[in-house]
Amino acid sequence: MLQVGLSLPRAPGGAAGGFPAQPEQGDGDGDGTSTTQGMLGSSPVTVVITSEADTWDIDAASSCLGCGQFVDWDRMPEPEQQANIPGDILTQPPKELKRLLREGCLAASRALRAQVYHRLCQQVACRLVTPDAPVYRDVASRLFGKHSASSHPLPDFLEGCSMPTYCLSPDGITAMKKILICIGNLFPDITYSPILPSLVALLLHYSEDEAQCFENISRLIASNAPHTSYIDQSFLAHRASCMTFGDLANKHCPAAHKLIASSSENIFEVYSEWLSWLFHDLPFDYAIRVFDVYLLEGQKVLYRIALALLKQYRLSVASPELEGADIKADLQAFVQNIAEHTTVDKLLERAFGIRLFSRKEIWLLQMANRKALMERGITMVQSRQSFHLAVDMQTFSSGTVTAQEMRIIWSWIPERFSLSPPLLLFSTSEDGCSLQRFYSCCEGYEPTVLLIKTTEGEVCGAFLSSDWSERKKNGATSGFFGTGECFVFTVRPEMERYEWVFIKKPELAKAVPRSRQRSPSPGPMSLLSSSPDGRGTSSNHLAVPTPQRKGRLSPFLAIRHFLLPSKTASMFMSGSREGIIIGGGGGQALSLDANLLWGRTEHCETFDNPPLCQENFRVQLLEVWGFQNT
């Protein structure tokens, strides 16, 4: 049981809004708490983690009197000194306001930050019936009484969650708990939300009283803006967000992802901590700057900043140092000591330099991950074994790759698929060198992984997002199909992945005049029937609409949805009686003949890849792996 004192915190000094003009610094720890302290320059920053008792004693006498009263000023860092802050920052145009908050204009004034936080929360589009400050006062009075202390259990949605309190005073911690209990009472649909305690704690630093803090956090909870979310409120939503971060890390931080995949037994577990990096492990100076932009821009900025942390981790930590290390604990320690590696301004600059997909596309990815979890029956908190990378190191057997190599390949695959263990669909050693047999074994499975081992011992392959039966939809016309989630890769002598060119270079998707478009490459039917002059005997039958607008491209859409400047940049996969092709435009990333014995690899425009092995190769073994539903 955590006993909370009756005395109210008093903010030293007499600055407007209840903030002290010059708060003192110190390293004091509260009784009954453990502290984690980081340093930024000479200013101590302390994150207080409370003990996780089963019940809380709530004293109704700890009412709120004014902004800053919940803060332990001895633990708060000095405010940054900045100039040229606009008189009314919230009257600025949206683009300018975004720039100002990203650059840290609120760091110079606690009173300004309190005002801006309240206004930003009030501007959040939310459900019509959302609890406000008067509702909180009524419910708090009913739950906690007016004079005597009472005992209340932890809200169910906090089960197993940590309770970071940053620089709150004991009475501030009590206020935070009262607010969380009222949230549990008034939002019964919330079943799991580990981020909520951190958000309440940060808001309390800049709230006039408990009721204002409750009203503002309620608006974030009840947000109903399209394709925008602030707070995940179920285990399913939280897990889908973690999977989405894993997908984004896979694409935007390939070096860090490969390092983690090769060093960690459970890469999913590492990525499941991404929100804790931001609102548990980061020092207060960094976390509050993250909070500034989060209130304005929503969850998307959290992905950006966590990806920036991952990139910085890869830059700051040498690979040999991680041999045998606990990557999850190492990342946590790195984030806690981030001030040793980069400033908060540099971190945010790196974060907003990352070219993420649009908010809608990220939302679509989250929905796809939620669907995958629901199909596997993972909707509630379960044992960690449910989320292990589904390649069993003991039982996996392949003639082309080792179990460790397959784990890295599996880590490159979108998480909604890699939750499933690999299933061998076709092997030339067992099924023979027949293209027709290849098709019959692989049809009905989506996606698949193609692995090729050459007679020279080189290994390469491709992740193919669509069912091979798609080739039949073109009738007698052989065309390309698939989506931008396809990629090609090498395994030996080096492991490297080459994704759709527009993922790495989205600026290429801008519309260009028709006169500047490149000529299409030969169609799939010309693979084995080229004329002596090098021109194919059939035209490219891929129909892509004329570019009409600019925009980012979602890798989850099929070719027919793309408006591209070139027809050759979306040739993902194609199959005919003569052979198969993966990647096109200026060459094929992989092409195989009808006997699955001979192949060729070249640079292609779809994946912007070098040859994946010797340009002309003979197949020693070809395997196709699908995804086993369990």
Side-chain angles (χ1 to χ4, degrees), residues 189-201:
D189 291 341
I190 300 179
T191 56
Y192 187 79
S193 188
I195 195 178
L196 257 176
S198 296
L199 302 185
V200 172

Side-chain angles (χ1 to χ4, degrees), residues 307-381:
L307 289 171
L309 285 169
L310 202 57
K311 284 177 175 285
Q312 187 65 47
Y313 174 73
R314 180 63 185 89
L315 290 173
S316 303
V317 180
S319 301
E321 297 177 15
L322 296 178
E323 293 184 4
D326 182 342
I327 299 295
K328 181 179 174 182
D330 196 60
L331 255 168
Q332 181 184 38
F334 170 82
V335 175
Q336 290 172 345
N337 297 285
I338 187 64
E340 298 177 5
H341 304 280
T342 188
T343 65
V344 64
D345 289 307
K346 289 292 185 183
L347 179 67
L348 293 180
E349 181 181 340
R350 177 182 288 270
F352 291 110
I354 297 172
R355 300 182 182 215
L356 277 190
F357 301 130
S358 69
R359 184 178 284 108
K360 180 178 180 181
E361 288 169 338
I362 292 176
W363 178 80
L364 289 172
L365 177 54
Q366 286 179 299
M367 294 303 102
N369 284 327
R370 287 183 64 148
K371 181 180 179 182
L373 289 167
M374 292 175 68
E375 288 175 350
R376 291 178 57 83
I378 302 175
T379 58
M380 301 175 63
V381 180

Side-chain angles (χ1 to χ4, degrees), residues 122-177:
Q122 291 300 307
Q123 292 173 5
V124 171
C126 60
R127 296 192 293 266
L128 183 61
V129 180
T130 300
D132 57 10
V135 169
Y136 174 80
R137 295 188 184 98
D138 180 67
V139 172
S141 175
R142 175 166 48 86
L143 286 177
F144 311 124
K146 295 184 178 180
H147 302 291
S148 60
S150 56
S151 182
H152 292 268
L154 287 160
D156 290 341
F157 63 77
L158 293 180
E159 183 176 356
C161 302
S162 60
M163 293 286 294
T165 58
Y166 299 103
C167 306
L168 291 180
S169 65
D171 283 350
I173 295 172
T174 300
M176 179 187 74
K177 294 175 180 178

Side-chain angles (χ1 to χ4, degrees), residues 258 405 408-409 412 457-461 489-498 611-613:
K258 184 178 177 181
E405 290 168 338
I408 294 178
I409 294 169
W412 286 336
E458 296 174 295
V459 178
C460 59
F489 56 85
T490 60
V491 178
R492 295 181 215 148
E494 298 291 336
M495 295 202 74
E496 194 60 63
R497 174 186 51 164
Y498 304 95
L612 304 178
C613 57

Side-chain angles (χ1 to χ4, degrees), residues 394-546:
Q394 305 300 319
T395 62
F396 176 78
S397 177
S398 165
T400 57
V401 294
T402 65
Q404 182 64 28
E405 290 168 338
M406 193 60 155
R407 279 181 61 87
I408 294 178
I409 294 169
W410 229 241
S411 79
W412 286 336
I413 293 164
E415 282 203 26
R416 64 185 185 278
F417 301 125
S418 58
L419 285 170
S420 303
L423 174 67
L424 184 62
L425 304 178
F426 174 85
S427 170
T428 52
S429 65
E430 298 179 9
D431 300 292
C433 298
S434 164
L435 184 59
Q436 191 56 43
R437 178 69 175 161
F438 170 93
Y439 288 140
S440 63
C441 289
C442 298
E443 287 179 4
Y445 289 89
E446 179 181 290
T448 54
V449 175
L450 174 72
L451 296 175
I452 297 171
K453 183 177 183 179
T454 73
T455 53
E456 298 298 319
E458 296 174 295
V459 178
C460 59
F463 171 75
L464 305 170
S465 63
S466 298
D467 191 328
W468 279 105
S469 63
E470 288 278 324
R471 76 190 191 283
K472 299 176 181 177
K473 294 184 178 180
N474 294 312
T477 300
S478 179
F480 282 90
F481 54 95
T483 72
E485 285 190 304
C486 293
F487 60 84
V488 294
F489 56 85
T490 60
V491 178
R492 295 181 215 148
E494 298 291 336
M495 295 202 74
E496 194 60 63
R497 174 186 51 164
Y498 304 95
E499 296 182 287
W500 185 36
V501 66
F502 287 114
I503 291 178
K504 296 294 184 184
K505 303 175 182 178
E507 67 276 7
L508 297 180
K510 294 180 179 179
V512 297
R514 178 183 291 272
S515 61
R516 294 175 54 193
Q517 292 184 23
R518 292 164 292 185
S519 300
S521 62
M525 291 291 288
S526 65
L527 170 63
L528 301 175
S529 55
S530 297
S531 57
D533 63 0
R535 291 180 294 183
T537 57
S538 65
S539 62
N540 179 6
H541 296 280
L542 174 63
V544 180
T546 302

